[in-house]
Every structure is written in structure tokens, then in C-alpha cells.
């Protein structure tokens, strides 16, 4: 499960959220266009139609990733692998709780998870505030969108913060 979780994190956080959504779409298509000397209305319309909605299409995958992080990364998972898999069920039952509790205490995992969930909520909040400006691509008003430039920069910062929060999770199940 940890390998699957790590692959999903790589796919969502690095490939999609960081490189595609943040760098290519938000910074490349939107902010570069809004701050250029000659903003392109068609490019803004294309962003509103194709790129902007991907947040709502993919954000639940990020929420699922965060919700499964603790179980996927806990070292108690190692009790199901050799040589510990052959331990008596009673031993594995109490040892599992101890290993997990020690891991949580030593790594501050709940704090990291809380930070990531708050960052996700912050992106959602920014998105909801800005969505009315881009919700109908055929009616996007360049002037109104440009007036919201600072809010789009806040959105960019919130997305960056989310990527950083997801990045701090361990790369593999660790025994501490």
C-alpha cells in the first residue's frame, strides 16, 4: 500500500499539481497572460475553459491521498511483512498500536497532516472566491480578472503551500 500511495503522491503532487497545474497552467497560462503588456483574451478564455476546472476535477484525489497517508505510511504496516508477519496475532495486535503511537509521537505526523489538510482547504477557499470570474469561459472579462490579480497570486501561493506540505511526508515507511 505504501508503494501505491507513493506512486499516487508522485502522480498527483509532482506531475499534476506542481508541474501541470501550478507551473504550466496557473503561472504559465494565467499569471503570465494577466501581467503581460498585451493580455490575450482568447488565452484567458482557454485557461478558464480547459485549465481552471481541473482543480475541481482532481482535488478529491488529493483529499483521498491525504486521508490515506497515515495508514499508508505507518511502520505498523511492516508487521504484515517478513519476518514479523509470522508473529502471533495477539503480539501483532498490541505491537501494532505501540509502533504506530511511537511513530506518531516521534515524527509529528499529525501536525504535518493537519498542515496539508489546512493547505488544501486554503486552496479550496481561494478557488471558490475566484471561480465566479472564470466559471463561464465565454463571459470572462479580462478587466475584472486583472483587478483580481492579487487574489490569483494568493491562489498561486496557496497551491504552492499545498505542494510543499505534501512533499514533507516520508518517501517510504520508516521505522523511528
Amino acid at each position: 500500500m505504501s508503494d501505491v500511495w507513493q506512486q499516487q503522491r508522485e502522480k498527483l503532487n509532482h506531475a499534476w499539481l506542481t508541474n501541470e497545474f501550478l507551473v504550466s497552467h496557473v503561472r504559465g497560462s494565467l499569471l503570465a497572460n494577466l501581467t503581460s503588456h498585451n493580455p490575450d483574451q482568447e488565452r484567458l478564455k482557454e485557461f478558464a475553459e480547459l485549465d481552471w476546472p481541473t482543480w475541481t476535477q482532481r482535488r478529491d484525489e488529493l483529499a483521498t491521498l491525504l486521508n490515506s497517508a497515515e495508514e499508508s505510511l505507518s511502520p505498523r504496516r511492516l508487521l504484515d511483512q517478513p519476518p514479523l508477519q509470522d508473529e502471533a496475532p495477539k503480539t501483532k495486535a498490541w505491537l501494532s498500536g505501540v509502533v504506530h503511537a511511537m511513530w506518531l509521537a516521534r515524527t509529528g505526523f499529525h501536525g504535518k497532516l493537519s498542515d496539508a489538510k489546512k493547505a488544501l482547504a486554503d486552496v479550496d477557499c481561494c478557488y471558490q472566491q475566484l471561480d465566479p470570474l472564470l466559471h463561464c469561459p465565454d463571459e470572462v472579462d479580462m478587466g475584472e480578472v486583472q483587478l483580481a490579480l492579487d487574489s490569483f497570486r494568493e491562489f498561486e501561493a496557496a497551491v504552492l503551500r499545498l505542494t510543499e506540505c505534501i512533499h514533507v511526508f516520508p518517501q517510504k515507511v520508516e521505522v523511528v
Side-chain angles (χ1 to χ4, degrees):
M1 176 88 160
S2 176
D3 289 343
V4 172
W5 191 90
Q6 294 294 352
Q7 290 168 356
Q8 188 67 5
R9 171 170 74 170
E10 174 69 20
K11 182 177 121 186
L12 284 172
N13 191 47
H14 184 70
W16 176 70
L17 186 60
T18 302
N19 290 336
E20 185 179 330
F21 189 71
L22 179 62
V23 174
S24 179
H25 298 325
V26 174
R27 288 180 180 160
S29 294
L30 177 66
L31 294 176
N33 187 26
L34 293 179
T35 58
S36 78
H37 294 295
N38 190 18
D40 184 341
Q41 178 70 31
E42 282 305 308
R43 190 170 167 202
L44 178 61
K45 179 183 171 186
E46 183 178 291
F47 173 83
E49 185 176 355
L50 302 175
D51 303 332
W52 184 249
T54 60
W55 174 254
T56 56
Q57 296 163 1
R58 306 282 315 260
R59 67 92 44 217
D60 287 345
E61 293 176 67
L62 289 165
T64 299
L65 183 77
L66 296 179
N67 290 333
S68 64
E70 182 175 341
E71 193 56 40
S72 297
L73 297 172
S74 173
R76 73 173 153 205
R77 304 180 50 67
L78 299 174
L79 296 172
D80 296 328
Q81 298 175 10
L84 299 172
Q85 72 184 24
D86 297 329
E87 287 293 323
K90 275 182 146 179
T91 302
K92 285 171 68 174
W94 71 261
L95 187 55
S96 172
V98 170
V99 166
H100 187 70
M102 288 177 63
W103 174 71
L104 290 174
R106 290 181 177 173
T107 62
F109 185 82
H110 280 158
K112 294 173 187 173
L113 184 59
S114 177
D115 290 347
K117 287 182 175 183
K118 181 178 181 327
L120 178 63
D122 290 347
V123 174
D124 281 338
C125 183
C126 289
Y127 185 92
Q128 293 305 320
Q129 290 173 351
L130 293 167
D131 190 51
L133 295 173
L134 298 171
H135 190 71
C136 298
D138 290 330
E139 299 172 14
V140 172
D141 182 313
M142 178 65 80
E144 286 183 29
V145 173
Q146 285 179 310
L147 288 174
L149 181 59
D150 288 342
S151 295
F152 282 106
R153 286 192 171 128
E154 288 174 22
F155 176 74
E156 173 195 26
V159 173
L160 180 60
R161 172 81 176 121
L162 175 59
T163 67
E164 292 167 348
C165 286
I166 294 172
H167 182 75
V168 301
F169 290 126
Q171 299 296 320
K172 61 183 184 317
V173 173
E174 298 173 334
V175 179
V176 291

